[in-house]
Amino acid sequence: MTLDITTLMTMSSLAVVLCGVSFILNTSFTRNDPTGRMWSLGFISAIIVAAGFGVVAVVPGAWWGLVIGNVAYIGAVGALWSGTRLHNGRRHLLWVVVTIAAIVAVVTLLHTQSEGIWAGAPVLWFGVSALSVLGAFELQRGRLRRNVNGRSLGIVLWIVAVFSIGRAVSFLYAGPEGVPFSLYFNSGIASVVTMALIISAAITASVLRAEQGGGSAVGDLSVGILSRAGVLSAESFLQMAEDHLERAAPRGVGMALIGADVDRLPEVNTAFGRAAGDEAISTFAQTLRGSVPVMAAIGHPSAGRFFILVAVASATEALSYAERIQVALVDNPLPATQKIRLTASLGVADTFDHGYTLDALIAEVSRSIDAAKAAGGNRIEVSAAS
């Protein structure tokens, strides 16, 4: 049996609608939090893409359907990226998606008369490729880096990125009738790639939502002020940290961001069970509360990772707080077994070297933690001045 392009596009649209509706309903009735809403926005955009391109296929000259479809396409991939950032406890940066979508809309409108159904196509594909690359990188960060479903979706996004770049280049080189485009990047193959992306995204997002909604998952994020471990949730910490840094900057008050990531947490879960892993995270949080200054802000951006924002007089004082955390962890074994002693990879960045921008401090601390883990864990890495 041979499937023509129209059949493949119809199947792709049907997959988009079914997966999108299923995820949106699941989010609405089970776990309606910022990450779920952002991913739901992506699936809604994907459904709008199917509707917009469907109108173009049925109604000749329906340029408005093409504009809606192109803009919604950027919105779908962009919301997927923004949702992964939220899942990792970072800002959604939705303004980047809006900017790219606006550029695509303007270019499409300017070329609807001259290029017909291909108006704005190269710019659209370049935008999709850029957002796919950002999404693939984000799936290798934070808590998603440890999730096999996230890594699988990352591979699919890399495929989408490469395919979109190839499609744009072949289109600009030889046009839609050229051999490279018509043979390797036609609408039928694009429909297959779209189906792979939407099905992978739906499965991954649904699994991540289910994992995050488990009642015993101490390491999961909470929508309220506190995480289940008893310290600030990711969103609350970001708001408080931004406020502290904003007020500290004009006064020249030194601040330090300390990141701590539990070493070998997956191995603890495997060897002793999920309950032991949850207990490790709770013990870790309580140890942090007892070893840092009373007015320090402690955040919980992901399962085994914590951030501490504290006022310091010097870089040396920031390092001393990290050392105090390291010693306190070794001195506090898990109560239930008395056999597991927690260690952590710690990263330190301060405003003396990196300024008062929270995103810059988080980026430096995350790089330092990764370096500490790569060196074997149970060590402190201080981010040097750029």
Side-chain angles (χ1 to χ4, degrees):
M1 179 179 66
T2 302
L3 297 178
D4 56 63
I5 292 178
T6 302
T7 303
L8 286 171
M9 294 180 67
T10 302
M11 292 173 60
S12 175
S13 300
L14 182 61
V16 167
V17 173
L18 291 177
C19 292
V21 170
S22 175
F23 182 83
I24 293 167
L25 290 175
N26 182 60
T27 300
S28 300
F29 289 109
T30 57
R31 189 174 178 83
N32 185 13
D33 64 355
T35 302
R37 289 195 293 270
M38 184 62 69
W39 280 336
S40 294
L41 175 63
F43 283 108
I44 292 172
S45 298
I47 293 173
I48 294 175
V49 173
F53 289 167
V55 169
V56 174
V58 174
V59 183
W63 58 268
W64 53 270
L66 184 63
V67 175
I68 292 174
N70 285 355
V71 171
Y73 204 144
I74 294 294
V77 182
L80 177 61
W81 166 59
S82 296
T84 58
R85 287 183 60 88
L86 289 174
H87 195 80
N88 278 333
R90 287 149 55 81
R91 293 183 173 184
H92 53 68
L93 296 184
L94 199 56
W95 65 268
V96 176
V97 182
V98 173
T99 301
I100 296 176
I103 294 172
V104 170
V106 171
V107 174
T108 303
L109 284 170
L110 292 176
H111 294 86
T112 49
Q113 297 298 323
S114 60
E115 297 184 10
I117 62 172
W118 299 111
V123 177
L124 168 66
W125 296 329
F126 280 125
V128 168
S129 179
L131 291 170
S132 297
V133 169
L134 290 174
F137 275 120
E138 191 63 37
L139 286 162
Q140 302 301 316
R141 297 171 59 99
R143 65 197 320 229
L144 287 171
R145 181 182 56 185
R146 302 173 179 174
N147 191 291
V148 65
N149 296 287
R151 292 197 295 271
S152 299
L153 179 57
I155 294 173
V156 175
L157 284 175
W158 277 117
I159 294 174
V160 172
V162 173
F163 179 81
S164 298
I165 284 290
R167 206 173 189 207
V169 171
S170 63
F171 182 91
L172 293 173
Y173 176 73
E177 303 301 328
V179 173
F181 187 88
S182 60
L183 189 60
Y184 301 109
F185 301 103
N186 60 63
S187 299
I189 298 176
S191 298
V192 174
V193 174
T194 300
M195 280 192 287
L197 173 61
I198 196 68
I199 292 173
S200 299
I203 293 173
T204 300
S206 297
V207 171
L208 291 174
R209 309 311 297 135
E211 290 177 352
Q212 195 170 17
S216 64
V218 175
D220 288 338
L221 305 182
S222 298
V223 182
I225 296 176
L226 300 179
S227 78
R228 292 189 179 93
V231 295
L232 292 173
S233 66
E235 186 174 356
S236 300
F237 174 78
L238 290 176
Q239 293 175 354
M240 180 174 289
E242 285 279 14
D243 177 67
H244 285 186
L245 290 169
E246 183 179 345
R247 288 188 289 138
R251 296 173 173 84
V253 177
M255 304 291 290
L257 183 68
I258 303 171
D261 195 284
V262 181
D263 291 329
R264 293 175 291 278
L265 184 59
E267 286 83 349
V268 172
N269 287 330
T270 301
F272 300 97
R274 178 64 174 272
D278 289 346
E279 190 174 20
I281 294 171
S282 294
T283 301
F284 196 7
Q286 297 311 309
T287 300
L288 289 176
R289 294 184 66 204
S291 56
V292 299
V294 174
M295 299 307 294
I298 306 174
H300 190 184
S302 60
R305 180 162 295 193
F306 294 81
F307 286 147
I308 304 97
L309 183 69
V310 59
V312 294
S314 64
T316 303
E317 185 178 7
L319 178 59
S320 69
Y321 285 135
E323 293 171 341
R324 186 186 303 178
I325 293 170
Q326 190 178 42
V327 172
L329 288 173
V330 176
D331 290 341
N332 289 278
L334 294 183
T337 62
Q338 298 294 326
K339 295 179 180 179
I340 304 175
R341 292 187 180 273
L342 297 178
T343 63
S345 298
L346 294 101
V348 182
D350 56 59
T351 56
F352 306 109
D353 289 334
H354 304 290
Y356 290 85
T357 303
L358 182 58
D359 286 343
L361 291 173
I362 289 177
E364 291 297 329
V365 166
S366 298
R367 279 194 285 269
S368 297
I369 291 175
D370 291 340
K373 283 190 171 294
N378 192 26
R379 61 187 291 129
I380 302 170
E381 291 286 340
V382 179
S383 178
S386 302

